[in-house]
Amino acid sequence: MSSPESPRDIELLARGELTVRGRVREASNAVLYCSVAHEGREAACVYKPVAGEQPLWDFPDGTLAQREVAAYEISEATGWGLVPPTVLRDGPYGEGMVQLWIEADPGAQLLALTEDEEAGEGWKAVGPAQVDEDRTALLVHADTPELRRLAVLDAVINNGDRKGGHLLPAPGGRLYGIDHGVTFHVDDKLRTLLWGWAGEELPAEAVGVLDALDRSLGPGAPLATRLAELLTGAEVAAVRARVEALRATGRHPEPSGRWPAIPWPPV
């Protein structure tokens, strides 16, 4: 569930002094590791300036930061708190997304490769993966309520890039998802490693959350108004349509078959 610290974290991220400490080199866009300080509080955070976004053929230029914030807003509306506190603000290199840094638990395992033909207890099968030139293995992900919630969130926000490296299991059993710039497209772009529940009935908890989201996305509702500040009208309408479709089917979505269902590289 959402952390009771979220409002204080949002104030810290939005109003604090942002100091760049380094850069995350493996990222395709500019991702800066920073500290933020305000009224005696300090925390580590990530700053992604709009000026450092690489153009994408299927998304409007300069919109990835807004999509990251929109994903946080949807996550908060679910009550699951799956996206770290995230704001849109000015920084040393102009406007950008600033998100609380999450230290992942190195001992937690959410993905694995197995030589077995089926996923074992506590795991869900994703599909075969090429290990080397002559060998394949079964890619599996953990079968946990937290990961399943994230799969539902990804279906709502139309996440086109849910890689293994975007899953952050935190100490204490919490799970966070990060890197939500490639989301909210009006076309079906869902690409994820979390296909283990594809076609299965949604849990009752998820159905209740989707019902609440549907109400929150109604015309004039606070969430709909906030999303309209971050996304286009067509994209907000597409969010509503995806929520309605999930409620109508009552099932996790399945790969469309029109393009690769798993992002590359998967990690």
Side-chain angles (χ1 to χ4, degrees):
M1 296 299 176
S2 300
S3 168
E5 289 295 307
S6 289
R8 295 187 69 212
D9 291 335
I10 288 294
E11 181 182 23
L12 173 63
L13 295 172
R15 302 180 60 185
E17 181 179 357
L18 202 60
T19 303
V20 177
R21 303 295 185 186
R23 180 172 181 176
V24 181
R25 295 290 181 182
E26 60 268 24
S28 56
N29 297 306
V31 179
L32 304 177
Y33 177 75
C34 302
S35 63
V36 62
H38 179 65
E39 295 185 345
R41 293 190 72 211
E42 185 172 352
C45 62
V46 170
Y47 165 46
K48 298 181 181 179
V50 172
E53 295 178 5
Q54 297 297 315
L56 298 172
W57 70 269
D58 51 350
F59 284 83
D61 292 349
T63 67
L64 304 191
Q66 290 94 323
R67 296 172 193 279
E68 296 246 27
V69 177
Y72 167 73
E73 297 288 354
I74 292 284
S75 169
E76 288 298 284
T78 66
W80 288 334
L82 293 168
V83 179
T86 311
V87 302
L88 190 68
R89 59 163 288 181
D90 195 33
Y93 299 101
E95 186 179 61
M97 180 278 279
V98 178
Q99 185 176 81
L100 193 69
W101 180 269
I102 301 296
E103 287 290 347
D105 181 357
Q109 188 179 24
L110 298 177
L111 298 167
L113 290 169
T114 177
E115 301 293 338
D116 297 333
E117 294 184 359
E118 297 182 358
E121 184 177 356
W123 296 91
K124 284 287 192 177
V126 180
Q130 196 73 33
V131 177
D132 53 40
E133 188 174 328
D134 302 316
R135 185 166 64 97
T136 61
L138 182 65
L139 176 64
V140 297
H141 65 66
D143 184 8
T144 68
E146 294 78 15
L147 211 56
R148 192 166 190 173
R149 291 169 182 165
L150 191 60
V152 174
L153 177 68
D154 282 343
V156 171
I157 67 176
N158 197 15
N159 193 349
D161 197 32
R162 177 60 74 202
K163 298 176 180 176
H166 300 169
L167 304 172
L168 298 183
R174 289 206 63 167
L175 174 70
Y176 293 96
I178 60 169
D179 284 353
H180 296 110
V182 188
T183 51
F184 295 104
H185 201 284
V186 294
D187 297 329
D188 179 9
K189 295 277 186 179
L190 186 60
R191 287 182 299 179
T192 176
L193 289 177
L194 305 181
W195 287 116
W197 299 284
E200 292 187 13
E201 286 190 13
L202 292 166
E205 176 196 40
V207 172
V209 164
L210 290 168
D211 289 344
L213 267 183
D214 185 61
R215 294 189 295 271
S216 299
L217 290 166
L223 178 60
T225 300
R226 177 58 176 146
L227 291 181
E229 299 170 353
L230 300 164
L231 306 170
T232 68
E235 288 167 343
V236 176
V239 177
R240 292 192 188 100
R242 287 193 294 273
V243 170
E244 290 171 359
L246 287 166
R247 294 174 67 229
T249 65
R251 295 182 178 275
H252 286 271
E254 298 182 80
S256 67
R258 292 191 293 271
W259 50 73
I262 295 176
W264 186 262
V267 177

